[in-house]
Amino acid sequence: MTIVNLTPHSINFLDADNRPILTVEPSGTVARAKQTRTLCGTVAGIPVNQCAYGTVQGLPEPAKETIYVVSAITAQACPEREDVYIVDDSVRDSNGRIIGVRALAHI
């Protein structure tokens, strides 16, 4: 199975004891859902937008024995794709920074 990282960040997979088991570097392509914004009002003088996400750009066609890891927003824009995953079960260090994940998930 090939894991293609379509995010701009390295993904560090950890076991149950937070030991590294696999790092998947960015592929160089970032899949993104096209975003549109519509001004719908203001709160205390601050603009409030209605955001919608549509067509995904940078996501390859399905390939045999290949999965694609993308952002949650991108995955939400293509729920029909069984080969699209997000990271799940984040592990944080003592400063609250994500140091890895323990799983993948489907939206």
Side-chain angles (χ1 to χ4, degrees):
M1 179 66 63
T2 300
I3 301 172
V4 179
N5 178 357
L6 296 176
T7 77
H9 312 286
S10 297
I11 301 171
N12 298 309
F13 290 96
L14 308 175
D15 67 12
D17 295 318
N18 297 336
R19 291 182 303 234
I21 55 173
L22 175 68
T23 296
V24 181
E25 297 297 336
S27 66
T29 299
V30 177
R32 296 196 186 280
K34 184 177 178 187
Q35 182 179 18
T36 58
R37 292 178 183 90
T38 305
L39 181 64
C40 62
T42 61
V43 172
I46 301 167
V48 175
N49 294 326
Q50 176 71 44
C51 294
Y53 299 93
T55 307
V56 175
Q57 301 164 334
L59 179 62
E61 292 297 318
K64 188 174 184 170
E65 298 293 318
T66 302
I67 64 168
Y68 301 100
V69 181
V70 301
S71 70
I73 289 172
T74 300
Q76 289 173 354
C78 56
E80 73 286 353
R81 291 282 300 261
E82 294 180 13
D83 59 340
V84 171
Y85 292 79
I86 62 170
V87 296
D88 191 36
D89 197 8
S90 297
V91 177
R92 296 178 184 272
D93 67 13
S94 60
N95 294 316
R97 292 180 294 235
I98 295 175
I99 59 169
V101 299
R102 293 191 192 112
L104 292 169
H106 276 289
I107 293 291

